[in-house]
């Protein structure tokens, strides 16, 4: 039976480190969270973000703009936050009203305030191994791998999913550790080759969003499995990997929920502290 790689206790340890770092800063770090229009889901998400931030000694400012805000006005608002010395980090809440392009907008966030780590300048730094602010979910996976104790050097790592927020940055971070990285995606499945790649994974990371995509018996004996997927099935949250059979074969596996999820918001807060340090330097 695999050992569970749990995100919560790891997040608590990292949070202690974040609190200590905050204590060394001249000013309390400030996060601006920009929300356009009303949305119940985003509203409740920002409430839990605020709670998590404040528990660490971070000031969380929810900046609510009316639903009829134009793209140009939102860009101006972000520029104002960029110029505001008291604001250390900026995040934009989804969904945005129709007609506003998230990618276009987020590129206006100053790279040193981009605490989601998705600005092209920050993504570009990953290629050079110089990134200080990392995409949160990819960073969360790297923390779990580090906690697993696995030496990534020369390991067969298979990443399923090649999104901009998870799979692609992760592949680069893993290469930085000299892992042998295979990235699979819908094309791999369509070519009928997903199983063959998954079977050779000493470390398997799955971020697709399809419950049961990875069959438990595909998992290599003794593998480390990180399941990023979040799927609601019959009122339950499950990952992309068939948990029970996979748990019998893996050496370590993340539970869903309780694996990657609790770490992601912690990575956002860590990015904010990193951003504040860069700005105060
Ligand atoms: P995405 O939709 O942007 O990308 C999905 C990826 O899966 C693509 O690379 C696509 O090619 C691939 N894919 C789709 N069908 C496939 C198939 N049949 N076989 C192989 N590959 C296939 O997704 P995303 O934003 O990266 O999110 C992926 C999952 O991770 C979702 O369930 C999401 O909810 C979850 N997620 C969790 C966290 C967290 O904090 N735990 C954070 C971000 C995303």
């Amino acid at each position: 039976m695999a050992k569970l790689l749990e995100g919560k206790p790891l997040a608590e340890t990292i949070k202690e480190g974040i609190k200590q770092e905050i204590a060394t800063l001249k000013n309390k770090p400030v996060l601006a969270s920009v929300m356009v229009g009303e949305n119940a889901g985003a509203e409740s998400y920002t409430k839990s973000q605020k709670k998590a931030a404040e528990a660490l000694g971070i000031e969380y400012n929810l900046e609510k703009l009316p639903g009829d805000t134009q793209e140009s006005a939102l860009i101006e608002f972000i520029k104002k936050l960029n110029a505001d010395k008291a604001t250390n980090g900026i995040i934009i809440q989804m969904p945005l009203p129709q007609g506003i392009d998230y990618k276009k907008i987020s590129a206006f966030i100053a790279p040193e305030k981009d605490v989601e780590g998705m600005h092209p300048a920050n993504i570009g730094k990953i290629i050079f191994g110089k990134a200080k602010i990392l995409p949160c979910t990819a960073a969360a996976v790297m923390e779990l791998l580090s906690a697993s104790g696995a030496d990534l050097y020369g390991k067969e790592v298979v990443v399923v999913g090649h999104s901009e927020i998870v799979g692609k940055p992760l592949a680069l971070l893993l290469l930085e550790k000299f892992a042998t990285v295979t990235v699979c995606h819908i094309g791999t499945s369509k070519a009928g080759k997903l199983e063959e790649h998954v079977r050779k994974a000493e470390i398997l990371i799955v971020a697709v969003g399809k419950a049961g995509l990875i069959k438990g018996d595909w998992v290599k004996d003794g593998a480390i499995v990180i399941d990023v997927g979040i799927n609601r099935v019959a009122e339950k949250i499950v990952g992309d990997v068939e948990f029970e059979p996979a748990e019998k074969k893996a050496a370590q596996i993340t539970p869903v929920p309780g694996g990657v999820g609790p770490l992601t918001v912690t990575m956002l807060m860590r990015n904010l502290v990193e951003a504040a340090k860069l700005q105060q330097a």
Side-chain angles (χ1 to χ4, degrees):
M1 205 65 109
K3 178 179 164 227
L4 283 185
L5 260 175
E6 291 187 277
K8 249 199 181 136
L10 184 55
E12 290 310 318
T13 309
I14 296 170
K15 280 185 203 164
E16 281 313 309
I18 293 176
K19 278 190 205 159
Q20 284 169 18
E21 290 228 46
I22 289 178
T24 68
L25 294 174
K26 269 191 272 173
N27 303 310
K28 195 177 193 181
V30 176
L31 178 60
S33 165
V34 183
M35 193 167 126
V36 186
E38 301 290 330
N39 181 281
E43 192 89 39
S44 108
Y45 186 58
T46 56
K47 273 197 188 125
S48 66
Q49 264 185 353
K50 186 177 170 70
K51 209 169 133 198
E54 288 177 347
L56 295 175
I58 290 166
E59 187 176 323
Y60 186 94
N61 293 336
L62 181 59
E63 306 280 2
K64 276 183 159 181
L65 302 182
D68 61 357
T69 303
Q70 298 294 305
E71 198 173 74
S72 56
L74 181 54
I75 292 171
E76 283 316 306
F77 189 74
I78 287 167
K79 286 184 179 166
K80 237 173 60 193
L81 290 174
N82 284 342
D84 174 26
K85 286 210 158 47
T87 299
N88 301 111
I90 304 166
I91 51 176
I92 300 170
Q93 298 296 337
M94 296 295 279
L96 285 170
Q98 263 197 339
I100 300 190
D101 175 6
Y102 172 79
K103 240 190 214 167
K104 180 175 168 192
I105 296 294
S106 60
F108 280 93
I109 297 176
E112 67 277 12
K113 296 193 179 185
D114 160 46
V115 288
E116 289 189 284
M118 288 307 297
H119 189 284
N122 287 325
I123 293 284
K125 280 185 188 154
I126 301 179
I127 291 200
F128 302 108
K130 297 256 183 265
K132 291 240 165 36
I133 300 179
L134 296 173
C136 301
T137 312
V141 172
M142 293 307 286
E143 284 297 333
L144 282 163
L145 287 176
S146 163
S148 77
D151 179 7
L152 297 174
Y153 197 96
K155 283 270 160 39
E156 285 289 344
V157 183
V158 174
V159 180
V160 187
H162 78 320
S163 70
E164 288 163 4
I165 62 163
V166 195
K168 283 183 188 171
L170 246 182
L172 293 171
L173 292 168
L174 291 161
L175 285 173
E176 201 56 40
K177 304 279 183 199
F178 291 91
T180 305
V181 185
T182 304
V183 183
C184 302
H185 39 70
I186 185 71
T188 320
S189 272
K190 290 254 161 90
K193 291 185 175 158
L194 185 61
E195 175 178 351
E196 125 192 10
H197 286 293
V198 169
R199 280 193 182 276
K200 66 175 190 198
E202 294 171 287
I203 295 174
L204 174 66
I205 303 160
V206 190
V208 171
K210 282 202 167 83
L213 175 71
I214 307 295
K215 306 295 165 218
D217 76 297
W218 296 359
V219 172
K220 192 179 173 75
D221 284 323
I224 294 175
V225 179
I226 313 270
D227 192 347
V228 185
I230 302 175
N231 309 289
R232 187 175 288 275
V233 175
E235 298 305 305
K236 264 182 73 184
I237 301 291
V238 298
D240 293 337
V241 180
E242 285 182 342
F243 187 81
E244 280 79 17
E247 191 191 18
K248 292 198 176 85
K249 298 193 76 184
Q252 301 189 53
I253 188 167
T254 52
V256 180
V260 181
L263 277 168
T264 307
V265 66
T266 308
M267 295 297 107
L268 179 77
M269 303 307 164
R270 190 171 73 179
N271 278 346
L272 177 72
V273 174
E274 209 48 59
K277 279 179 12 196
L278 288 173
Q279 290 157 40
Q280 288 182 13

